[in-house]
Amino acid sequence: MKKNLLTAIFALSVLFANAQNYLHQVVIVNEGYYNYSTATQVVPVSVGVYNPISKVYQSIDIINGSKFASDVIVDNGFIYVAADNKILKYDANTYALVKQVNLAGVRKLAIWNNQLLVSRGEYLATYTSYFQVYDKNNLNFIYELTTTNGPAYASDKIVVNNDTAYIAVNNGFDFGNYKGIVGVVNLNAQNYKREIVLADSATNPENLMMAGTDLITVNNNDFSKSSVSKMSTKSANGSSLTIISGSGCSTSAMTTISNNDYVLYQAFGTTNLGKFDLNGFQNVSPVAINKEIYGIAVNPINNEIYTGVTNFTNTGKIYIHYANGFPKDSFNVSVSPGNIAFDLRTATSVENINSKFETSIFPNPANNEIQIIGNYVKANVTIFDLLGKTVLN
């Protein structure tokens, strides 16, 4: 929150009222390092958690037998991980492995009611089904859509809106033969309703998000350029715009600031984050982070940006930035931290609120503007000057 002030030097008191959600922990899945030349796992896939209050990161599991990982989500006290050839479920409090099932080519995960939705795709492999559904409680198989009644190509990101799942279908492992499709699944009827073809011949969607009732894809096309596509879920109409020329997009995420939606992205070989305004449908001033990143996620509570940085062989680190790119913190992880998820909880008492909520205020003192950032959804903020007079409430 920004507010112009008349006072030159001030004291601050932030009173939390109606605060509910807070960031309990951040889950990071490190993809490790598999040497394809020697067919050896040099650094294994691993799962770790970061406590934003104590600022301590700890590894909770090593996933053996998987060459890489592709996704992590948190739901109702449990962590779900997609790792190459298996799906794993952990208790988010004890970190115990609850269950795992084998599934070759697992890509992305999503939750709908008591179901775990799964997309698939793998290099030099074809499957009879690229979309499967499991019971999220025990990971028992429920049903699948085959290539004759569902996505016919390798698929990636899944988003759920009410009782409908949208799937990014990119055929991403068949180089030069990329697709630009969003598949639509009726989850109640368990059938494939239709396909939305990306506008303006956009192909190879590497990310799929939702802004209101609109579907947003970030597309790598043929890696000579990247584009953003915007389509309404209520119709097949849409538009695409090239955001990067001469390169692909290494990673992307969406953030909402002052009720305006933006896509943050990074072109291969660059060190800033591009920023695309979805309302104006145009690039705006980039976010300066000075990091070549591998993975990105945005904390939905306060818009802090988490980025994974690696040399792909023996180092990995997570950097935390405020929404404006100003650095906040960092911590070491394992190799290739490309998957980040936020475990959001609900505070149930005043004691929990006081112990779990963190506020950053800068600059202090200031001449005419301050920024207050905290890991809360709602708060009453009262600002006093040094004499105790209320400046703003």
Side-chain angles (χ1 to χ4, degrees), residues 211-385:
T213 59
D214 290 328
L215 294 169
I216 309 298
T217 62
V218 179
N219 320 298
N220 267 330
N221 298 292
D222 61 355
F223 294 97
S224 67
K225 63 178 181 179
S226 290
S227 63
V228 167
S229 297
K230 181 179 180 181
M231 301 145 289
S232 173
T233 57
K234 298 179 180 180
S235 69
N237 297 325
S239 58
S240 296
L241 183 70
T242 298
I243 55 174
I244 307 171
S245 296
S247 172
C249 178
S250 60
T251 187
S252 60
M254 196 172 75
T255 186
T256 302
I257 302 174
S258 300
N259 297 318
N260 203 31
D261 296 316
Y262 300 90
V263 172
L264 302 177
Y265 64 91
Q266 188 173 80
F268 289 118
T270 62
T271 59
N272 286 339
L273 286 178
K275 189 175 182 181
F276 188 83
D277 182 350
L278 290 171
N279 290 346
F281 214 64
Q282 61 182 343
N283 277 309
V284 293
S285 298
V287 180
I289 62 169
N290 298 317
K291 301 284 186 302
E292 189 171 347
I293 62 176
Y294 184 62
I296 183 174
V298 178
N299 181 351
I301 290 180
N302 57 16
N303 295 314
E304 288 178 351
I305 306 166
Y306 284 66
T307 58
V309 176
T310 184
N311 67 357
F312 300 103
T313 58
N314 56 19
T315 65
K317 196 166 189 173
I318 296 290
Y319 289 88
I320 308 173
H321 300 265
Y322 294 106
N324 61 3
F326 193 84
K328 177 185 178 181
D329 213 337
S330 65
F331 54 95
N332 292 322
V333 292
S334 188
V335 175
S336 299
N339 308 279
I340 305 168
F342 301 103
D343 184 358
L344 306 181
R345 303 285 179 98
T346 300
T348 57
S349 68
V350 174
E351 289 76 14
N352 283 344
I353 291 175
N354 289 338
S355 64
K356 296 295 185 182
F357 286 87
E358 175 186 11
T359 299
S360 298
I361 303 165
F362 61 92
N364 186 10
N367 291 323
N368 70 335
E369 187 176 83
I370 61 169
Q371 190 168 91
I372 302 173
I373 299 177
N375 60 338
Y376 48 83
V377 174
K378 297 179 180 179
N380 288 339
V381 179
T382 302
I383 301 176
F384 304 93
D385 64 18

Side-chain angles (χ1 to χ4, degrees), residues 21 62 68 73 99 135 176 191 201 272 274 314 331 344 368-369:
N21 291 343
I62 300 297
F68 57 88
I73 60 175
K99 185 73 180 289
D135 186 314
N191 64 20
S201 301
N272 286 339
N314 56 19
F331 54 95
L344 306 181
N368 70 335
E369 187 176 83

